[in-house]
Every structure is written in structure tokens, then in C-alpha cells.
Amino acid sequence: QVHLVESGGGVVQAGGSLRLSCAASGSIFGLQTMGWYRQAPGKQRELVATITRGGSTNYADSVKGRFTISRDNAKNTVYLQMNSLKPEDTAVYYCYADRLLISHWGQGTQVTVSS
């Protein structure tokens, strides 16, 4: 079992920045793609960004140029640097990690951007 713990959420004004972290523990051998999804109230969960073990990244169009995903394989941790935040970025952000064709999820961290 892979255990994911997110941190770094909070309340920030529009235009501000936050950095989310997600640390994996437990059965972490063979972790592959890691990433972030988000879910705003009344909306479906949507992809934010992903990163492969080799460092290839993918971003939702809505965050390109503002968010940066990175990972430290030695620490089994993935990060999401969020700059130029907008009120529409307000959501619960969920970390995930793929291992042996199974996706594992964190409990989520709230990000609130005030206008």
C-alpha cells in the first residue's frame, strides 16, 4: 500500500503563490507517474499536472505557464509550485501516484484564492 500525504495548502490572495508537497511512503518501490488533480465545489475532479519518474511533465491548459510540477525520486516526493494564482484555482488538490498499474491517492489539501 502506498500512503500519500499532502501539505502546503492554504489561503492566498489572487496573484500570490503556494507550493504543495506530497510525500509517498509504504510500498513505494516502483512508483511511476505522480501528479496532482483538483476538485472545486460542484465540479468534477480534473487533472492539473503529472510527472513521470524520468521527469516528463504534462499540464492542464488552464495552469500552463503558472504552475510547475517537480519530483525528488530520492525523497519520493512530488511538488506543485503555483504562481499567479486566480480565484478559479480554488479547490481541493489531490496528489496521486501510480504503482504497478494502480493509482493511489492522498487525502487532499484545500487551496483557497481570494479576489
Side-chain angles (χ1 to χ4, degrees):
Q1 184 69 18
V2 178
H3 186 52
L4 301 172
V5 178
E6 300 108 330
S7 60
V11 180
V12 64
Q13 288 189 329
S17 298
L18 283 174
R19 189 191 194 209
L20 305 182
S21 299
C22 173
S25 61
S27 301
I28 56 176
F29 178 78
L31 282 179
Q32 296 300 320
T33 299
M34 300 181 75
W36 297 89
Y37 277 69
R38 68 186 180 187
Q39 187 166 19
K43 294 187 177 181
Q44 290 187 331
R45 191 174 295 192
E46 63 175 2
L47 172 72
V48 177
T50 64
I51 184 167
T52 67
R53 186 169 185 81
S56 296
T57 59
N58 180 52
Y59 295 93
D61 288 342
S62 59
V63 307
K64 282 181 180 176
R66 300 188 299 122
F67 291 10
T68 302
I69 190 170
S70 61
R71 70 188 281 176
D72 184 334
N73 290 330
K75 295 181 178 180
N76 298 300
T77 300
V78 62
Y79 306 96
L80 186 68
Q81 178 66 43
M82 305 185 293
N83 299 328
S84 302
L85 282 161
K86 304 175 181 180
E88 51 264 44
D89 293 318
T90 295
V92 177
Y93 284 69
Y94 296 91
C95 169
Y96 87 95
D98 287 335
R99 179 180 179 271
L100 301 178
L101 302 180
I102 296 174
S103 293
H104 302 268
W105 295 87
Q107 80 286 354
T109 185
Q110 177 70 46
V111 171
T112 302
V113 184
S114 60
S115 57

